[in-house]
Amino acid sequence: MPDLLLELFSEEIPARLQRRAAEDLRKAVTTALVDAGLVYEGAKAFVTPRRLALTVSGIPPRSPDTHEDKKGPKVGAPQPAIDGFLRSAGLSSIEQAKVESDPKKGEFYVAHIHKPGAEAATILSGLLPRVIADFPWAKSMRWGSGSTSWVRPLRAITATFGTDNDEPIVIPFEAAGVGSGQTTYGHRFLAPGAIRIRRFEDYLMGLERAKVVLDLDRRKDIIRSDAEHLAFARGLSVIGDEGLLEEVAGLVEWPVVMMGAFDPAFLELPEEVIIATIRANQKCFCLRDGAGRLAPYFIITANTVAIDGGAAIIAGNERVIRARLSDAKFFYEGDLATPLEHGLPKLEDTVFHAKLGTQFARVERLVKMAGQIAPQVGADPERAKRAAMLAKADLTTGMVGEFPELQGLMGRYYALAQGEPADIANAIEQHYKPLGPTDEVPTDPVAIAVALADKLDLLTEFWRINEKPTGSRDPFALRRAALGVIRIITENGLRFPLLVEPDLLAFFHDRLKVSLRDAGARHDLIDAVLSPDSNDMLQITQRAEALSSLLSSPDGTNLLAGYRRAANILAAEEKKFSLTYDGEVKPELLQLPEETALAAAVTTVQPAVAARVAEDDFTGAMGDLAALRAPVDAFFEAVLVNDPDPATRINRLNLLGRLRQTMHLVADFSKISG
């Protein structure tokens, strides 16, 4: 069957948009093909800085004919209903519809619609311009006098369609004033000439000959491998940076890796400053020596094969990096000369949020809150308050002004330089953490106190002014803050009840559910251990884990079955008589050994479970509950709950009620599915 090759050749596509664009193109074209009745065999998209390409294999040469019976209104229906039916069915007269009869609904109209298939090339010539016109670029532009928006001006379109054995045809269409054809172009500098292509195989080979590596992941592999080999030859290793590698691979079509050097005197700067400077300004990778220390070298990725072996490119990068590191050194030394506290008054000039005041006001809140939290997490209150006071001071430094991503880290360097204790300096850096699901969580008590204060202040204040996350909008990263609070509490094993308003507590519940589900927990087990006023994240997590462990055992599975049987009987009887069977179980009314055994077991287990729960020993509580399995099984085997004698019946229902109460001490088993 024929294959499609589509290439949209343009000016430089920003690296950050490339991978998403390739996936969007694949989805848009393949979805449109399926909607048109063309089921394909496979599709793969590619992207370079100057081209977005797609190959779709195994497309049928034409779409199949279709038949549809469209049911219309009753015979004798009002004319507007008849007219609507004719329009929707594509009929010009009601006489073209047939009348069918239904025993219940009477006679009604039916249109037998036959849609002949169409040539795939014809379908493609219609759908490809629509895909281009509707393409979801995050940012796009218009050029010339045209009205089409694209990420950058389109220069050529290739669209061929055909089998391996035949000469492919060009799918005829036009977009942004550019007509489709079968001509593309090679590397901008190394092979800029036109290339005539027929299908994907010769397209790929033609681009390789013209110094273009089409596959983004292959360009990444080339850069990674060449950089590692270059570094290894000097006894060095490359500092991994997947984000930078993705960006650099999106800047080149023919990657050429080189190594440059900078003055070792700059190594007196914090290594994070050097790495940030070289990364931000020149998109270069830094290196470490054999002892793990930052080395005075960097890796450059060029987009050309230089005739001088890259000497001019290396010299140019070294010149720029020298200037940027000199700037960084100037900022660093200037910041060191000023105590951190001296930056605090400047925070009064920085608005944190129009409704929440300045950064200085926020610092005052953090100091108060950190002092309150400290005793609960084992931190010294005065040290927590000191760390909270200095936590935002580095925002006024020259270095953080130049590299905002270094906030917190520079605060730690400056705090240590002015003689602050290590735990306070550490808290200044770590109070922003964790910044994501893989980021480290603060573990030192002072850092924990300040990190919790920072995030809880953010959440409670935005809740107070009613600026909460909505749908996909979360401009102040409140979801991340809530997840950070949950991770700090649970990963440090803290008993830290969240004393917040109910709506914010529900927000924490939602984030905890997401977190636990991502970790593999069952949603129904989380619901079973969660109530609207549950404010202890650690306790919820431990209960869910213990419940999961219980239900994965045969005792737990059978006990759950027994619970459901008891709950169903109680629900039916309570609904029938509008009663709740939670009364006393009278020993003198117990007649059979099995009900006596169950009553004894519940009497023993209930206080034991309550004591375990009070001590947060949920695994032990679940183990105690498991002991009920045998007497519950025996009870339902031998005992008729709805005994003809009302007193016996009520006593047995109260016994089942006590069983339910006992199990609800650790979880609401009625919410467990399966």
Side-chain angles (χ1 to χ4, degrees):
M1 286 193 286
D3 300 338
L4 168 71
L5 171 63
L6 174 68
E7 186 205 62
L8 304 166
F9 183 81
S10 69
E11 298 297 331
E12 266 75 3
I13 305 169
R16 69 183 185 284
L17 305 180
Q18 290 178 16
R19 191 175 289 278
R20 173 69 181 272
E23 182 60 18
D24 285 343
L25 180 65
R26 188 190 65 79
K27 282 185 179 176
V29 173
T30 55
T31 300
L33 284 172
V34 172
D35 290 346
L38 296 172
V39 180
Y40 60 95
E41 292 178 354
K44 189 168 184 182
F46 303 88
V47 64
T48 79
R50 302 173 72 205
R51 65 199 83 223
L52 198 51
L54 173 71
T55 175
V56 185
S57 60
I59 300 175
R62 65 176 287 119
S63 63
D65 296 352
T66 60
H67 303 272
E68 179 190 2
D69 287 345
K70 188 175 183 64
K71 188 176 179 181
K74 290 182 180 179
V75 174
Q79 191 57 39
I82 299 290
D83 292 342
F85 168 62
L86 293 176
R87 283 195 299 274
S88 65
L91 303 180
S92 57
S93 163
I94 196 64
E95 280 72 30
Q96 293 177 316
K98 292 189 176 180
V99 176
E100 294 190 0
S101 180
D102 184 282
K104 294 182 179 178
K105 298 181 179 179
E107 292 185 328
F108 58 91
Y109 294 109
V110 173
H112 298 289
I113 303 171
H114 169 72
K115 290 184 179 177
E119 296 294 327
T122 304
I123 294 173
L124 285 166
S125 68
L127 73 85
L128 292 179
R130 292 198 301 274
V131 167
I132 295 171
D134 299 336
F135 201 79
W137 288 109
K139 287 187 176 179
S140 58
M141 61 181 292
R142 294 179 181 175
W143 61 98
S145 57
S147 58
T148 302
S149 290
W150 197 250
V151 63
R152 293 291 184 272
L154 267 174
R155 297 305 184 206
I157 299 174
T158 296
T160 65
F161 183 68
T163 64
D164 289 342
N165 302 321
D166 301 322
E167 181 67 23
I169 63 169
V170 173
I171 303 296
F173 69 93
E174 183 179 305
V178 180
S180 59
Q182 53 188 133
T183 301
T184 188
Y185 300 89
H187 189 282
R188 183 185 289 278
F189 310 118
L190 302 175
I195 307 168
R196 187 177 184 276
I197 53 178
R198 299 168 68 239
R199 53 179 60 86
F200 181 69
E201 286 72 19
D202 65 83
Y203 169 70
L204 199 60
M205 289 189 289
L207 288 181
E208 287 276 344
R209 285 194 294 268
K211 305 296 183 187
V212 174
V213 178
L214 183 64
D215 190 334
L216 174 60
D217 288 325
R218 188 166 158 242
R219 295 198 300 277
K220 287 176 66 175
D221 289 341
I222 291 171
I223 296 168
R224 182 189 289 112
S225 175
D226 288 357
E228 288 174 350
H229 286 140
L230 202 54
F232 182 76
R234 299 272 189 101
L236 305 171
S237 60
V238 182
I239 297 176
D241 188 333
E242 194 62 26
L244 179 60
L245 181 61
E246 175 89 4
E247 182 177 4
V248 169
L251 297 173
V252 297
E253 289 197 315
W254 191 257
V256 177
V257 174
M258 309 170 200
M259 183 179 289
F262 60 85
D263 187 345
F266 287 119
L267 292 174
E268 294 176 1
L269 287 166
E271 69 171 41
E272 295 90 345
V273 171
I274 296 173
I275 294 170
T277 301
I278 292 176
R279 185 187 197 282
N281 291 289
Q282 294 304 105
K283 312 298 181 192
C284 292
F285 299 89
C286 289
L287 301 156
R288 293 195 186 281
D289 62 19
R293 296 170 303 208
L294 191 68
Y297 300 94
F298 55 89
I299 293 290
I300 308 159
T301 307
N303 187 32
T304 188
V305 179
I307 56 175
D308 63 355
I313 294 172
I314 293 171
N317 278 272
E318 288 179 341
R319 185 168 55 251
V320 174
I321 285 176
R322 186 185 310 119
R324 297 288 78 81
L325 289 177
S326 295
D327 292 344
K329 188 168 184 290
F330 171 79
F331 288 129
Y332 183 61
E333 291 174 348
D335 293 340
L336 284 176
T338 307
L340 268 177
E341 296 98 310
H342 290 194
L344 291 174
K346 297 179 184 175
L347 294 178
E348 294 192 64
D349 301 326
T350 306
V351 175
F352 171 66
H353 186 279
K355 296 179 181 177
L356 298 177
T358 64
Q359 280 284 10
F360 187 80
R362 177 160 153 74
V363 168
E364 289 183 315
R365 292 196 302 271
L366 292 186
V367 171
K368 183 179 178 182
M369 190 179 289
Q372 294 169 341
I373 291 172
Q376 302 176 63
V377 299
D380 179 272
E382 293 306 315
R383 293 173 93 86
K385 289 162 71 174
R386 173 72 178 169
M389 187 185 77
L390 298 176
K392 307 293 182 186
D394 68 351
L395 296 177
T396 65
T397 62
M399 187 62 77
V400 174
E402 191 74 10
F403 298 105
E405 67 270 28
L406 297 180
Q407 60 185 289
L409 176 71
M410 297 315 301
R412 177 169 70 83
Y413 275 112
Y414 299 145
L416 288 173
Q418 71 182 30
E420 297 290 341
D423 57 347
I424 291 179
N426 182 53
I428 293 171
E429 179 190 1
Q430 297 214 331
H431 82 281
Y432 292 107
K433 293 179 176 292
L435 291 172
T438 59
D439 195 22
E440 66 175 318
V441 168
T443 55
D444 181 79
V446 175
I448 290 172
V450 184
L452 284 175
D454 184 64
K455 292 163 183 59
L456 288 172
D457 173 77
L458 192 72
L459 289 160
T460 54
E461 288 297 301
F462 277 101
W463 244 253
R464 182 173 65 79
I465 62 173
N466 199 31
E467 291 205 16
K468 309 168 188 174
T470 56
S472 59
R473 285 199 75 249
D474 185 15
F476 302 106
L478 301 182
R479 291 189 180 92
R480 188 176 72 186
L483 282 169
V485 169
I486 291 168
R487 285 192 62 198
I488 291 171
I489 291 172
T490 56
E491 293 185 25
N492 285 294
L494 297 175
R495 299 306 305 269
F496 187 81
L498 294 173
L499 305 177
V500 297
E501 62 170 285
D503 187 55
L504 179 52
L505 186 58
F507 182 73
F508 273 108
H509 288 169
D510 289 341
R511 304 276 71 74
L512 180 61
K513 287 180 182 178
V514 171
S515 176
L516 290 175
R517 286 172 195 166
D518 289 347
R522 282 170 46 182
H523 69 90
D524 55 331
L525 301 193
I526 303 168
D527 290 336
V529 300
L530 198 58
S531 65
D533 59 351
S534 299
N535 63 7
D536 189 328
M537 301 296 112
L538 179 63
Q539 189 184 75
I540 296 167
T541 304
Q542 290 175 338
R543 282 194 186 212
E545 289 171 351
L547 183 57
S548 176
S549 177
L550 173 68
L551 294 180
S552 64
S553 69
D555 281 349
T557 304
N558 288 342
L559 182 62
L560 178 62
Y563 167 86
R564 285 186 175 138
R565 192 167 176 183
N568 289 338
I569 294 171
L570 287 168
E573 295 301 312
E574 287 172 345
K575 182 179 180 182
K576 191 185 303 179
F577 299 105
S578 299
L579 292 172
T580 300
Y581 292 99
D582 56 0
E584 181 186 356
V585 178
K586 298 178 180 176
E588 65 274 18
L589 294 178
L590 298 172
Q591 299 176 6
L592 300 175
E594 289 80 4
E595 60 181 325
T596 303
L598 178 58
V602 171
T603 301
T604 302
V605 168
Q606 189 173 43
V609 170
R612 299 266 198 188
V613 170
E615 296 171 354
D616 291 338
D617 180 9
F618 301 108
T619 302
M622 296 294 176
D624 289 338
L625 281 185
L628 291 172
R629 176 207 167 168
V632 168
D633 289 349
F635 178 87
F636 284 116
E637 284 288 327
V639 179
L640 175 65
V641 177
N642 286 323
D643 191 89
D645 175 53
T648 301
R649 180 176 61 81
I650 291 171
N651 201 54
R652 288 173 178 172
L653 288 169
N654 283 335
L655 176 56
L656 295 183
R658 284 202 64 190
L659 172 66
R660 181 175 60 183
Q661 290 171 359
T662 303
M663 295 186 69
H664 281 192
L665 288 173
V666 289
D668 186 347
F669 283 75
S670 68
K671 294 181 179 176
I672 298 173
S673 60

mmCIF file of all heavy atoms in Angstrom, residues 202-217:
data_model
loop_
_atom_site.group_PDB
_atom_site.id
_atom_site.type_symbol
_atom_site.label_atom_id
_atom_site.label_comp_id
_atom_site.label_asym_id
_atom_site.label_seq_id
_atom_site.Cartn_x
_atom_site.Cartn_y
_atom_site.Cartn_z
ATOM 1 N N ASP A 202 14.683 7.585 0.211
ATOM 2 C CA ASP A 202 15.665 8.434 -0.452
ATOM 3 C C ASP A 202 15.698 9.836 0.155
ATOM 4 O O ASP A 202 16.701 10.542 0.078
ATOM 5 C CB ASP A 202 15.429 8.487 -1.971
ATOM 6 C CG ASP A 202 14.125 9.137 -2.332
ATOM 7 O OD1 ASP A 202 14.098 10.391 -2.379
ATOM 8 O OD2 ASP A 202 13.151 8.419 -2.554
ATOM 9 N N TYR A 203 14.585 10.231 0.816
ATOM 10 C CA TYR A 203 14.574 11.514 1.553
ATOM 11 C C TYR A 203 15.601 11.462 2.688
ATOM 12 O O TYR A 203 16.421 12.363 2.854
ATOM 13 C CB TYR A 203 13.169 11.728 2.088
ATOM 14 C CG TYR A 203 12.992 12.847 3.100
ATOM 15 C CD1 TYR A 203 13.093 14.185 2.729
ATOM 16 C CD2 TYR A 203 12.685 12.555 4.422
ATOM 17 C CE1 TYR A 203 12.901 15.198 3.649
ATOM 18 C CE2 TYR A 203 12.490 13.560 5.356
ATOM 19 C CZ TYR A 203 12.604 14.882 4.965
ATOM 20 O OH TYR A 203 12.411 15.889 5.891
ATOM 21 N N LEU A 204 15.561 10.348 3.438
ATOM 22 C CA LEU A 204 16.472 10.199 4.574
ATOM 23 C C LEU A 204 17.930 10.174 4.109
ATOM 24 O O LEU A 204 18.792 10.856 4.659
ATOM 25 C CB LEU A 204 16.125 8.898 5.315
ATOM 26 C CG LEU A 204 16.621 8.740 6.734
ATOM 27 C CD1 LEU A 204 16.084 9.819 7.633
ATOM 28 C CD2 LEU A 204 16.217 7.357 7.275
ATOM 29 N N MET A 205 18.183 9.408 3.024
ATOM 30 C CA MET A 205 19.561 9.311 2.525
ATOM 31 C C MET A 205 20.018 10.634 1.916
ATOM 32 O O MET A 205 21.164 11.045 2.076
ATOM 33 C CB MET A 205 19.649 8.180 1.499
ATOM 34 C CG MET A 205 19.541 6.794 2.128
ATOM 35 S SD MET A 205 19.891 5.465 0.960
ATOM 36 C CE MET A 205 18.434 5.565 -0.080
ATOM 37 N N GLY A 206 19.120 11.290 1.228
ATOM 38 C CA GLY A 206 19.465 12.578 0.623
ATOM 39 C C GLY A 206 19.826 13.613 1.673
ATOM 40 O O GLY A 206 20.783 14.377 1.508
ATOM 41 N N LEU A 207 19.088 13.613 2.780
ATOM 42 C CA LEU A 207 19.399 14.561 3.847
ATOM 43 C C LEU A 207 20.742 14.233 4.489
ATOM 44 O O LEU A 207 21.529 15.127 4.810
ATOM 45 C CB LEU A 207 18.293 14.559 4.900
ATOM 46 C CG LEU A 207 16.962 15.195 4.497
ATOM 47 C CD1 LEU A 207 15.978 15.147 5.660
ATOM 48 C CD2 LEU A 207 17.143 16.645 4.046
ATOM 49 N N GLU A 208 21.017 12.954 4.688
ATOM 50 C CA GLU A 208 22.312 12.575 5.275
ATOM 51 C C GLU A 208 23.450 13.046 4.385
ATOM 52 O O GLU A 208 24.462 13.573 4.882
ATOM 53 C CB GLU A 208 22.374 11.056 5.466
ATOM 54 C CG GLU A 208 21.509 10.533 6.604
ATOM 55 C CD GLU A 208 22.186 10.622 7.960
ATOM 56 O OE1 GLU A 208 23.424 10.807 7.998
ATOM 57 O OE2 GLU A 208 21.478 10.507 8.957
ATOM 58 N N ARG A 209 23.291 12.858 3.068
ATOM 59 C CA ARG A 209 24.350 13.320 2.140
ATOM 60 C C ARG A 209 24.466 14.838 2.184
ATOM 61 O O ARG A 209 25.532 15.399 1.962
ATOM 62 C CB ARG A 209 24.045 12.856 0.715
ATOM 63 C CG ARG A 209 24.318 11.376 0.475
ATOM 64 C CD ARG A 209 24.336 11.062 -1.016
ATOM 65 N NE ARG A 209 23.020 11.253 -1.611
ATOM 66 C CZ ARG A 209 22.103 10.302 -1.731
ATOM 67 N NH1 ARG A 209 22.382 9.084 -1.299
ATOM 68 N NH2 ARG A 209 20.933 10.556 -2.276
ATOM 69 N N ALA A 210 23.359 15.502 2.513
ATOM 70 C CA ALA A 210 23.355 16.971 2.571
ATOM 71 C C ALA A 210 23.579 17.467 3.997
ATOM 72 O O ALA A 210 23.201 18.581 4.350
ATOM 73 C CB ALA A 210 22.034 17.506 2.029
ATOM 74 N N LYS A 211 24.194 16.621 4.836
ATOM 75 C CA LYS A 211 24.607 17.000 6.194
ATOM 76 C C LYS A 211 23.429 17.395 7.088
ATOM 77 O O LYS A 211 23.465 18.405 7.784
ATOM 78 C CB LYS A 211 25.626 18.145 6.155
ATOM 79 C CG LYS A 211 26.853 17.874 5.311
ATOM 80 C CD LYS A 211 27.661 16.712 5.873
ATOM 81 C CE LYS A 211 28.941 16.503 5.059
ATOM 82 N NZ LYS A 211 29.662 15.273 5.485
ATOM 83 N N VAL A 212 22.372 16.573 7.050
ATOM 84 C CA VAL A 212 21.239 16.780 7.941
ATOM 85 C C VAL A 212 20.913 15.448 8.608
ATOM 86 O O VAL A 212 20.641 14.457 7.917
ATOM 87 C CB VAL A 212 19.989 17.290 7.191
ATOM 88 C CG1 VAL A 212 18.784 17.356 8.148
ATOM 89 C CG2 VAL A 212 20.249 18.651 6.576
ATOM 90 N N VAL A 213 20.975 15.411 9.945
ATOM 91 C CA VAL A 213 20.530 14.230 10.696
ATOM 92 C C VAL A 213 19.085 14.489 11.090
ATOM 93 O O VAL A 213 18.803 15.380 11.899
ATOM 94 C CB VAL A 213 21.403 14.001 11.948
ATOM 95 C CG1 VAL A 213 20.894 12.814 12.737
ATOM 96 C CG2 VAL A 213 22.850 13.812 11.547
ATOM 97 N N LEU A 214 18.165 13.723 10.493
ATOM 98 C CA LEU A 214 16.745 14.048 10.641
ATOM 99 C C LEU A 214 16.205 13.755 12.040
ATOM 100 O O LEU A 214 15.364 14.479 12.560
ATOM 101 C CB LEU A 214 15.941 13.259 9.599
ATOM 102 C CG LEU A 214 14.449 13.523 9.543
ATOM 103 C CD1 LEU A 214 14.179 14.964 9.141
ATOM 104 C CD2 LEU A 214 13.766 12.567 8.555
ATOM 105 N N ASP A 215 16.681 12.680 12.666
ATOM 106 C CA ASP A 215 16.110 12.203 13.928
ATOM 107 C C ASP A 215 16.694 12.977 15.120
ATOM 108 O O ASP A 215 17.910 12.959 15.349
ATOM 109 C CB ASP A 215 16.413 10.708 14.077
ATOM 110 C CG ASP A 215 15.645 10.080 15.224
ATOM 111 O OD1 ASP A 215 15.298 10.809 16.179
ATOM 112 O OD2 ASP A 215 15.387 8.866 15.167
ATOM 113 N N LEU A 216 15.822 13.625 15.884
ATOM 114 C CA LEU A 216 16.260 14.411 17.049
ATOM 115 C C LEU A 216 16.995 13.536 18.063
ATOM 116 O O LEU A 216 18.034 13.925 18.609
ATOM 117 C CB LEU A 216 15.034 15.070 17.695
ATOM 118 C CG LEU A 216 15.251 15.817 19.009
ATOM 119 C CD1 LEU A 216 16.240 16.952 18.843
ATOM 120 C CD2 LEU A 216 13.920 16.369 19.539
ATOM 121 N N ASP A 217 16.480 12.345 18.333
ATOM 122 C CA ASP A 217 17.135 11.474 19.317
ATOM 123 C C ASP A 217 18.501 11.005 18.824
ATOM 124 O O ASP A 217 19.417 10.808 19.626
ATOM 125 C CB ASP A 217 16.242 10.271 19.629
ATOM 126 C CG ASP A 217 15.037 10.680 20.452
ATOM 127 O OD1 ASP A 217 15.185 11.590 21.287
ATOM 128 O OD2 ASP A 217 13.949 10.123 20.261
#
